[in-house]
Amino acid sequence: MVLLLRFVLLCGVADFTRSLSITTPDQMIEKAKGETAYLPCKFTVGSEDQGPLDIEWLLSPADNQKVDQVIILYSGDKIYDDYYQDLKGRVHFTSSDLQAGDASINVTNLQLSDIGTYQCKVKKAPGVANKKIQLTVLVKPSSTKCYIDGSEEIGSDFKLKCESKEGSLPLRYEWQKLSDSRKLPTSWLPEMTSPVITVKNASTEYSGTYSCTVQNRVGSDQCLLRLDVVPPSNRAGTIAGAVIGTLLALVLIGLIMFCCHKKRREEKYEKEVQHDIREDVPPPKSRTSTARSYIGSNHSSLGSMSPSNMEGYSKTQYNQVPSEDFERAPQSPTLPPAKLKHAHKTDGVTVV
């Protein structure tokens, strides 16, 4: 009887090992945005699994608003990886020989939209098997900034702050003093793992360089801060200097405006004077008309003269034209007294 039971159990184990199965266990994977996620899916087939091999990867989005999406498929010795537009070109089989029992995939350049449950299905009739992998995409802390909120004066209160522009929660903070005395005030210790340290009644012992490290499950980032606690400044002198500087600026502006106004008035006065002078001066006479009137008057005088009187007038200058600047009345040339003509007759002929 015992031997019979052992025989039955051995047969059951043999049948189980011969059927198709996926050896990779269910698991959860966390990766950072922009990285590559390796999703394993290794399988074995039994001797009775003689059908064609089909491999299918499906994605169930985390928001549960979409139905399961086929992201990559192997069927008929061909690979189809253009089913899901959001992962097109970013999902690939890791093995070049899928018949060897490795259906694992890589998802590259991870995005937050890739978060979800991935399911690997392997079919080789009559065997069928599947496994699920939960993928979580996190964002590393980045662009971390350290700064001081308040006045860094002795006896004052202020805050040391550490902020990351990006980073998936939960975030962990750690402050350290890097220079001078590395000993931190006991009042700071409860806040050394928080993004803000409150400083009260500051002293020069607090001066130094501090670092803040921000971490989450996929990465970390760091920033540095220099704290210099100084004596209180002379506020009265600062205020007086500001007031004096303001008054000087106002005086300078007023002086510039006065000079500009004065210059405009002088230019306007010069334009008005020039305009009045032009209105008082009569227009100049034409040289051509003056010369013609002068020559015409001389011609009229010459016209009444006889040829016998031209000898005395031959020396008169006709080329003298009076100037526009000095207007003179034309003077008639002085003619010698005309000779009287006497006529007498000689033998019937009149002789002059």
Side-chain angles (χ1 to χ4, degrees):
M1 186 66 180
V2 174
L3 294 174
L4 181 60
L5 289 174
R6 288 181 178 178
F7 178 78
V8 172
L9 290 173
L10 290 173
C11 290
V13 172
D15 289 341
F16 177 77
T17 56
R18 286 197 301 268
S19 62
L20 188 150
S21 65
I22 295 177
T23 59
T24 302
D26 293 344
Q27 56 186 294
M28 295 181 63
I29 297 176
E30 287 184 347
K31 285 290 182 178
K33 179 183 176 182
E35 294 183 346
T36 296
Y38 168 70
L39 307 183
C41 182
K42 295 184 179 181
F43 62 93
T44 59
V45 297
S47 57
E48 74 276 13
D49 300 325
Q50 300 296 323
L53 177 64
D54 292 332
I55 301 173
E56 185 180 58
W57 277 89
L58 297 96
L59 168 61
S60 300
D63 55 10
N64 295 322
Q65 300 297 321
K66 298 179 181 179
V67 298
D68 292 354
Q69 300 286 335
V70 177
I71 60 174
I72 193 168
L73 174 67
Y74 173 81
S75 180
D77 294 332
K78 291 184 178 181
I79 297 175
Y80 305 91
D81 57 1
D82 57 353
Y83 283 94
Y84 189 46
Q85 189 65 31
D86 290 352
L87 282 172
K88 186 176 181 180
R90 295 194 294 120
V91 59
H92 313 280
F93 284 109
T94 60
S95 175
S96 59
D97 184 12
L98 300 178
Q99 296 287 346
D102 188 359
S104 304
I105 61 172
N106 279 334
V107 180
T108 62
N109 190 21
L110 288 172
Q111 302 298 316
L112 296 179
S113 59
D114 299 337
I115 297 174
T117 301
Y118 291 75
Q119 184 176 183
C120 174
K121 287 186 176 182
V122 181
K123 303 176 184 178
K124 189 172 178 65
V128 177
N130 66 81
K131 288 292 180 179
K132 292 182 178 180
I133 298 176
Q134 181 70 37
L135 175 63
T136 301
V137 180
L138 302 177
V139 179
K140 293 180 181 180
S142 63
S143 303
T144 304
K145 180 178 65 174
C146 296
Y147 63 96
I148 300 171
D149 184 7
S151 175
E152 307 171 52
E153 296 181 352
I154 296 176
S156 62
D157 299 341
F158 53 85
K159 294 180 179 180
L160 309 182
K161 293 188 176 182
C162 178
E163 297 178 353
S164 289
K165 187 176 181 181
E166 292 184 340
S168 297
L169 300 176
L171 295 174
R172 299 187 301 274
Y173 297 85
E174 182 180 0
W175 287 89
Q176 289 183 339
K177 189 175 183 181
L178 305 179
S179 63
D180 302 331
S181 174
R182 292 178 178 267
K183 184 178 179 180
L184 296 170
T186 55
S187 60
W188 291 18
L189 296 179
E191 298 180 329
M192 294 305 292
T193 56
S194 67
V196 180
I197 294 179
T198 302
V199 180
K200 293 183 179 297
N201 192 20
S203 67
T204 55
E205 297 177 356
Y206 297 169
S207 298
T209 301
Y210 294 82
S211 71
C212 174
T213 303
V214 187
Q215 297 177 337
N216 62 9
R217 294 195 297 268
V218 293
S220 64
D221 194 26
Q222 187 181 71
C223 63
L224 298 178
L225 180 148
R226 177 65 191 181
L227 174 62
D228 293 309
V229 181
V230 297
S233 59
N234 186 357
R235 297 183 178 178
T238 302
I239 295 173
V243 172
I244 293 174
T246 303
L247 292 176
L248 289 176
L250 292 175
V251 171
L252 180 61
I253 293 173
L255 182 62
I256 293 174
M257 294 179 64
F258 173 77
C259 293
C260 293
H261 180 68
K262 182 179 179 182
K263 185 176 181 181
R264 284 197 297 266
R265 290 187 62 184
E266 290 177 353
E267 292 177 352
K268 183 178 179 181
Y269 177 75
E270 290 177 359
K271 290 181 180 179
E272 291 178 352
V273 171
Q274 292 176 1
H275 180 71
D276 293 342
I277 293 174
R278 289 179 185 146
E279 289 182 349
D280 295 340
V281 177
K285 291 184 178 182
S286 173
R287 293 177 178 268
T288 305
S289 59
T290 304
R292 288 178 179 175
S293 60
Y294 179 76
I295 296 172
S297 61
N298 287 336
H299 283 183
S300 60
S301 299
L302 294 174
S304 60
M305 299 174 65
S306 62
S308 60
N309 294 331
M310 290 298 293
E311 294 179 359
Y313 194 72
S314 60
K315 296 181 180 181
T316 303
Q317 298 180 357
Y318 287 94
N319 57 350
Q320 295 180 354
V321 179
S323 172
E324 290 181 352
D325 299 329
F326 302 92
E327 296 182 2
R328 298 178 180 179
Q331 298 178 358
S332 300
T334 304
L335 300 177
K339 295 180 180 182
L340 297 178
K341 299 179 181 180
H342 299 280
H344 59 279
K345 289 182 177 180
T346 305
D347 297 331
V349 178
T350 302
V351 179
V352 177

